Every structure is written in structure tokens, then in C-alpha cells.
Amino acid sequence: MMLTRRLPRWGVALFASMLIHGAASAQSAPSSAPAGLIQVYGDALKNNAAFRARLAQFEAINQVHEQARGQLLPQIGLRATYDYVHEEIQGQYFGIVDVDNEDDFDRSLIGVQLTQPLYRPELLISRDQAELARTQARFQLDTEEDALLLAVAETYFAVLSAQDLSAFAKAEREALARQLEQVQTRHAAGLVTDADLRAAESQQANAEVGALEAETGLQAAHATLELIAGKPYPRLKTLPEGMVLTRPEPARMGDWVERARTQSLAVLSARVSTQIAALEVDKAHKLRWPKLDAAASAYRLESGGGLQGDREETEGRVGVQLSMPIYSGGSVSAAIAEAEARRVAAEALFDAAVATSVRDAQLAFHQANNGMTRVPARRTALDAARAAESATAGGFDAGTRTTADVLRAIKERFEAEREYSAARYAFMLDSLRLKRAAGNLANADLIRFDRLLRVYESQP
């Protein structure tokens, strides 16, 4: 029985991308308008070399199926020959007439032959295998789509994360520069020690380096996104701070594990491999069976000389051909043993695919659920760090806090900024990875996140 899973996704994504571009044109949007997830994914489906290669491979396997089906249909061939013949014959013709003849002449033949398989079990099995191979190719193409979708999301959010890190690094550098000015002023007045001044200078210098490294990371993230999608994106839509988190549905891990066990693309593909291998065993056994074909032919021969003299012949035949191997040097037995071994290997790989898919679903479920706690916790820690920085700065102005206290508060505040930013992107990616592990990742999942993105005029 042929397995089915879903309709091709790439057409849906491309259509959504065209709608986005069309809406932008209708509103006379500038070409530099920030791109969203769906737009980038649509571009990747059109431009990504690895995905285009997989599409071509899918089409190639479709043609293999057509070839296998064609072997069961009538086979018609044309035959034509032309010869210039030099003939010398000496001896008795049919034991009666002595012959001593030499001749040069032309001979031509033209004919047509038709063969129709009547009983070819190996061809029927090959057709079924080709059908399964086409189904497996569909799963492999879906796997490539999933990988591309996840890669686009990972790289897109990597760019947003790099933008955040660059903005945080610049803000931290500016905050430390302001603090250094205050420390320098107080040092000149003798209110702080040399150690305080050196600590402020050191941390501000480190912030300068951090800002440069963050900018380099941002450029690298943009380059990676361009490599995947096939075009540059100077501006991207970003994620607002007030995103609403939703728990994975269903809420029980057992449901996700069962989906992974039965719907994972790796499991579906491995199951098809076991079916193909089982058919290969059946085909190897049937190599010993008889084969029956219907055959018909017609030809015309024109000979300009020779023993029989000038002549024209026409002939037509219709019949059946039966063939059955008796002994083939042990090759059939070896083919059966090979097919059996490959079937055992395919079943073992299927078991491994199930185990891997179950493990991936369990890990992804835990990660996604942990994100429901991690993101709010990071937000709380960020609010506390911001309040602590403000209070420490006020204490420094009042003379109740030291330079070290302020520098530590600034460092902790921006560390909290980075951790909160990373937690948000990690939660979104973990949600996609869970869907992928369970075998039901779809364009709708990307569209849901795309709708969260916003355009901010302050974007670079």
C-alpha cells in the first residue's frame, strides 16, 4: 500500500511570498522594506541550490517509476539493415547438387517487432518498488523542506539575535563611557582611587572590543542568511518584546512521542525502505519462475543475388515465447541471500529511525516546555537588573555606592539583556524543532511566527 503524508509545501510558501510582494507593490512599498520570515522562506525555496537539487532528484525518481511501468507495456522496435555481400560457395546444395558459385550483390532488410509481457512477475515487483521509491522520494523532499524551513528560521533569528547583541554592545559601551567620564572627573577631584579609574578604563575598553565583535557577528549572520536564501536582506522585521508564549499542543509528551513514532519523516522513509527490501526478496525468488511473452514480427528482405538468386521475401509471425532458468551458476541463490541480508539491514535501520525520532521528540518537548519557564524568568531577571543598575547609579551619585558596584551593575544588566533575547529566539526555534521531530512541521508554523514580527523605524 502506498503511503501518503501531505501535499507539496513549496508551492504554498511561494504563493504566500508572492502575496506579500504583491501587497508591498500595491502599497508602493520601497524595495528596502524589511523582509519577514515567509518572504525569506519563499526566496530560499526558489534560490537555495540544495533544495533545487532535491527537486530535480525527485523528478528523476518520478521518471524511474515511469520506466518501470513502461516495461509492462508493449515494446515495439524497428529493424533495418543494408549489406554489400561478396559470396563464394563450393559444395553440395542440400546434398544433391554440386555448387560452385561466386557473386557480389546488395541485400537489405526492414522489419518491425512487437513484444508484450504476459507473465513477468519481476517486472510487476519492479513497478511496485518504483512506486514505493517515488513515495520515499516524496518523504525525502519533505525532509529537505523541513530542513530548509528550520534553517531559514534559525538563520533569520540568528540575524535578529546578532542585531540585538550589536545594539546591546553599543549601549553598554555608551553607558561605560559615561561612567568613565564620571570616574575621571571624581578622580581629578581626588574622590576615587586609581584602582577605580583603571577598572572603569578596562571595562570601557573591553566594551569597545565587544561592540566590534558584535558588529562582525552581525555581518556574518547576514552573510549566512544570504547564502541560504540566495539574496541579501538589509533589513528584517523584528520580534517585539511583548510576545505571547503558548505551550505546545497537545500538552502531553506521550502524544508527541507517538506522533514521532508513526509520523516522523525519518520513520516513514525507513518504513518504505523495509517494504522495498521485502519486495526485493520476493523478486529474487521469482527469478526462478518462468517468463511468458507474446511476440509478433514482420519483415521484408530484398536480395540482389547469391545462391538463391535475386529475390524478395516478406514474412509475418505471431506467437508466444516461454523461458525458464534451469541453472545459472548459483547467481539466483546468491541474489536471494543478498536480498534477505538487505531486508534485515532495512528493518534494523527502521528500528533505529524510530528510536532516534522518539528521542528527538522527547528532547524537543522538554526544551519547548522549559522555554515557557525560561523566557518569563529571563524577563524578570532583566527587569531586576535594570532596576538594580538604576539604583546603583543613584547610589553612586549619592556617594553610597562604589565604582565597582556601578560597573558590576552595568555588566549584569546587559548580560540579562542578552540572556532574555536569546531565550525568546530559542523558544521559537524549539517549538519548530518539536513539530519537526513529530513529523508535522508545516508552513502554518512559520506563518504564525511571521505574524509576530514587526517593523520598527529605528532599524538600521
Side-chain angles (χ1 to χ4, degrees), residues 28 39 153 164 168 184 191 202 260 318 320 323 326 340 372 377 396 448:
S28 301
Q39 179 182 338
D164 290 349
F168 298 152
Q184 287 171 337
L191 299 177
S202 173
V318 176
V320 293
S323 64
I326 302 298
E340 288 284 1
M372 290 294 299
F396 180 77
R448 178 165 58 91

Side-chain angles (χ1 to χ4, degrees), residues 12 172 178 188 233 436 453 459:
V12 178
E172 184 176 11
R178 290 192 298 269
Y233 300 95
R436 184 189 185 189
L453 303 175
Q459 278 188 270

Side-chain angles (χ1 to χ4, degrees), residues 67-401:
Q67 293 174 43
R69 191 176 66 88
Q71 293 298 311
L72 294 167
L73 300 177
Q75 309 294 306
I76 303 175
L78 178 68
R79 179 188 175 195
T81 64
Y82 169 80
D83 301 298
Y84 175 76
V85 183
H86 172 72
E87 184 179 76
E88 294 182 11
I89 302 177
Q90 292 182 351
Q92 290 188 334
Y93 186 64
F94 290 105
I96 300 175
V97 180
D98 289 331
V99 177
D100 185 359
N101 185 47
E102 180 177 348
D103 195 7
D104 295 309
F105 60 93
D106 298 327
R107 181 168 59 197
S108 61
L109 179 144
I110 185 169
V112 63
Q113 182 172 356
L114 179 146
T115 302
Q116 170 63 59
L118 297 179
Y119 182 71
R120 287 290 193 95
E122 78 283 3
L123 296 182
L124 291 170
I125 294 174
S126 294
R127 180 199 60 188
D128 294 341
Q129 286 178 312
E131 181 67 26
L132 286 170
R134 183 164 66 172
T135 301
Q136 188 176 50
R138 171 71 258 176
F139 294 148
Q140 292 170 347
L141 183 60
D142 286 345
T143 300
E144 195 71 28
E145 287 183 71
D146 285 354
L148 183 60
L149 187 152
L150 191 57
V152 166
E154 289 174 343
T155 326
Y156 187 101
F157 291 134
V159 173
L160 297 190
S161 178
Q163 286 179 176
D164 290 349
L165 293 179
S166 180
F168 298 152
K170 292 175 182 177
E172 184 176 11
R173 180 184 61 188
E174 293 171 1
L176 290 170
R178 290 192 298 269
Q179 182 62 26
L180 178 59
E181 289 179 1
Q182 293 185 31
V183 171
Q184 287 171 337
T185 301
R186 295 194 177 196
H187 181 267
L191 299 177
V192 297
T193 65
D194 289 342
D196 290 330
L197 178 61
R198 297 294 175 262
E201 290 174 340
S202 173
Q203 197 154 326
Q204 204 277 332
N206 287 334
E208 289 284 355
V209 174
L212 291 175
E213 291 177 345
E215 185 63 27
T216 301
L218 177 57
Q219 293 172 358
H222 271 290
T224 304
L225 185 61
E226 180 179 351
L227 178 64
I228 290 176
K231 60 183 293 187
Y233 300 95
R235 303 176 68 207
L236 297 176
K237 295 179 181 179
T238 58
L239 191 65
E241 282 201 10
M243 61 176 284
V244 178
L245 304 183
T246 57
R247 288 190 179 277
E249 289 294 338
R252 292 178 61 254
M253 184 176 69
D255 295 329
W256 290 98
V257 168
E258 185 58 28
R259 287 182 181 181
R261 193 190 307 277
T262 59
Q263 299 179 24
S264 164
L265 287 171
V267 170
L268 293 176
S269 181
R271 181 180 291 124
V272 174
S273 292
T274 63
Q275 294 172 336
I276 293 174
L279 286 175
E280 189 64 26
V281 173
D282 191 23
K283 184 166 69 174
H285 280 285
K286 285 184 169 56
L287 291 176
R288 292 171 171 163
W289 290 25
K291 302 174 181 61
L292 184 65
D293 297 324
S297 64
Y299 74 88
R300 175 182 177 82
L301 171 70
E302 294 184 2
S303 180
L307 180 63
Q308 301 180 43
D310 295 347
R311 71 189 188 280
E312 295 182 358
E313 297 180 18
T314 59
E315 182 178 293
R317 298 182 182 181
V318 176
V320 293
Q321 299 174 351
L322 176 69
S323 64
M324 180 175 179
I326 302 298
Y327 177 70
S328 54
S331 62
V332 173
S333 297
I336 292 173
E338 177 191 0
E340 288 284 1
R342 294 188 183 279
R343 180 183 60 80
V344 172
E347 290 174 351
L349 291 175
F350 171 74
D351 292 339
V354 171
T356 301
S357 297
V358 167
R359 181 208 61 191
D360 291 346
Q362 290 171 336
L363 292 176
F365 182 83
H366 287 309
Q367 285 292 102
N369 270 286
N370 290 344
M372 290 294 299
T373 303
R374 186 185 306 113
V375 174
R378 294 298 186 193
R379 177 67 197 197
T380 301
L382 174 59
D383 292 340
R386 287 174 175 172
E389 180 194 21
S390 178
T392 304
F396 180 77
D397 292 338
T400 59
R401 292 297 184 95

